[in-house]
Amino acid sequence: MSSRPARRTRLLPLLVLTCLTVPVVTAAAPRPGRPVAVLAWSAEAGGAAAIAARAEGELRSASRGNQIVIASSKTPDFVARLYGAGALLVVDATMAAACLSPFITL
């Protein structure tokens, strides 16, 4: 007996997961000049709003817990500055709003 069918069966979930993940990651990638959602580890010390301010961004909206904010900047290195200022994750604001809208109000 060949082990090929067993290998295919084990690889199928990985293939499906990859096919579903790639479009989501691509859509969530921040684009220069567009608003981004900034996620912080916690709301302590100003949370995501303080991170956006340190990165010289313009605050557009904030969640109640101040762990997620929508910010923008016209500078091309804004995303890098957000990570440098302590952001946990930076994603395109449109994608984040669509995903998070049932759970939080920005």
Side-chain angles (χ1 to χ4, degrees):
M1 254 187 160
S2 174
S3 65
R4 284 188 153 201
R7 278 191 187 150
R8 286 183 189 160
T9 305
R10 286 187 293 208
L11 291 178
L12 185 61
L14 180 61
L15 178 64
V16 169
L17 182 64
T18 301
C19 290
L20 294 174
T21 304
V22 170
V24 171
V25 170
T26 302
R31 292 164 187 82
R34 293 190 49 179
V36 294
V38 181
L39 286 76
W41 285 101
S42 71
E44 293 178 17
I51 290 169
R54 284 193 300 268
E56 300 175 15
E58 179 183 325
L59 187 64
R60 301 241 178 147
S61 182
S63 67
R64 263 186 255 169
N66 199 18
Q67 287 183 282
I68 303 171
V69 299
I70 304 296
S72 63
S73 176
K74 295 197 187 304
T75 59
D77 65 338
F78 183 51
V79 173
R81 288 191 319 206
L82 287 167
Y83 281 119
L88 170 65
L89 182 65
V90 179
V91 296
D92 183 73
T94 306
M95 181 71 167
C99 292
L100 296 173
S101 62
F103 306 108
I104 66 166
T105 302
L106 287 174

